[in-house]
Amino acid sequence: MSTVEPIRNKKDVEKVEHLLAKQSKRDLLLFVMGTNCGLRISDLLSLNVGDVRNKTHIQLVEKKTGKFRKFPINAKLKPMIADFVKGRRDKEPLFLSHWKHRLDRTTAYYLIRGVCEKAGLQENIGTHSMRKTFGYHHYQKFKDVVILQKIFNHSSPQITLRYIGIEQDQIDDSYSNFIL
C-alpha cells in the first residue's frame, strides 16, 4: 500500500476547486474544508450543520485520538458554510449523500480521487491528501514545523516533515542539484 501525497502546486488546488464548483457545493465545501482545516476525513464527515452554522470556531473531539480540538473558521470558509447550511437543520449531517445519509469515507475517497484525476494530477491522491495539502502549504507559508506538529498532534518535527512530504522534497532537491 502506498501513501497518499499532498497536492503541492497551488494552481492544482485551484484547478480542483474550479472543477468541484461546477460539480456540487457539497463536494467543493468538503475539499476546501479539508485543505483549509487539516482535519482527518473521519472528523470532517462527523460534523453536523450546527457544528459550523454561525460559528467562529470548529470544536470537536477527534475520532482517532479522542482529543479535543478547536480552531477558527477562516475567511474563505465562512461564506461557503453560510451559503451551504441555509435552510438546513442543526442536527443534520453537514455532508449528506445523495440518499440523504451521512456521506461515508469511501464515497468521499472516490469523489476526491476522481476530481483530482479529472484535473490531471499525477500524485497518489486520497482523502488524506486534503489534510496533507493543508500541512504542506501551511509549512510553505509559515515555515513553522512546531506549530504544524501541534496542529497534527505529532510527536516530533521530523514526523511532521515526512508526513507532509517536505522530507522527500528535500531529498529530491538534493539529488537534482548534485552532479559529480
Side-chain angles (χ1 to χ4, degrees):
M1 184 170 111
S2 59
T3 58
V4 299
E5 295 290 320
I7 302 171
R8 289 175 170 84
N9 186 319
K10 274 191 168 182
K11 294 283 184 202
D12 287 339
V13 173
E14 291 167 5
K15 192 187 299 184
V16 170
E17 288 177 1
H18 179 73
L19 289 169
L20 287 169
K22 292 180 183 178
Q23 194 166 299
S24 86
K25 286 182 181 182
R26 178 202 70 185
D27 299 352
L28 176 62
L29 183 61
L30 178 67
F31 183 78
V32 174
M33 283 187 77
T35 57
N36 280 263
C37 297
L39 289 174
R40 290 178 185 89
I41 192 66
S42 57
D43 294 324
L44 275 172
L45 297 177
S46 72
L47 292 171
N48 289 331
V49 170
D51 297 328
V52 296
R53 182 196 317 269
N54 300 323
K55 305 283 188 202
T56 58
H57 289 72
I58 292 176
Q59 300 181 63
L60 57 94
V61 175
E62 293 180 327
K63 286 188 175 291
K64 183 176 180 179
T65 65
K67 293 184 178 180
F68 176 78
R69 184 154 171 210
K70 177 182 177 181
F71 57 91
I73 299 171
N74 72 24
K76 182 175 184 174
L77 283 170
K78 281 182 184 178
M80 292 177 75
I81 289 170
D83 180 53
F84 189 70
V85 300
K86 279 181 190 164
R88 297 184 54 198
R89 298 180 333 272
D90 280 353
K91 296 285 185 197
E92 187 178 321
L94 183 60
F95 300 107
L96 289 170
S97 71
H98 297 295
W99 297 276
K100 303 296 181 202
H101 297 105
R102 188 176 298 275
L103 192 68
D104 64 74
R105 62 186 312 133
T106 303
T107 304
Y109 168 80
Y110 285 111
L111 181 159
I112 298 302
R113 189 160 167 122
V115 74
C116 288
E117 283 177 10
K118 198 172 173 182
L121 275 61
Q122 299 299 309
E123 296 89 353
N124 186 20
I125 299 291
T127 54
H128 217 57
S129 294
M130 296 184 295
R131 179 172 161 90
K132 289 184 176 192
T133 298
F134 165 83
Y136 184 86
H137 290 282
H138 190 284
Y139 179 77
Q140 293 300 338
K141 181 171 184 169
F142 299 111
K143 297 294 186 202
D144 189 343
V145 69
V146 175
I147 194 69
L148 201 51
Q149 174 191 345
K150 288 178 183 179
I151 289 170
F152 284 152
N153 197 29
H154 288 161
S155 58
S156 76
Q158 293 78 14
I159 289 171
T160 301
L161 291 174
R162 186 176 338 118
Y163 177 78
I164 62 175
I166 296 296
E167 190 176 80
Q168 188 61 51
D169 284 357
Q170 291 168 338
I171 291 168
D172 292 352
D173 189 49
S174 176
Y175 269 100
S176 296
N177 290 310
F178 176 81
I179 299 173
L180 186 62

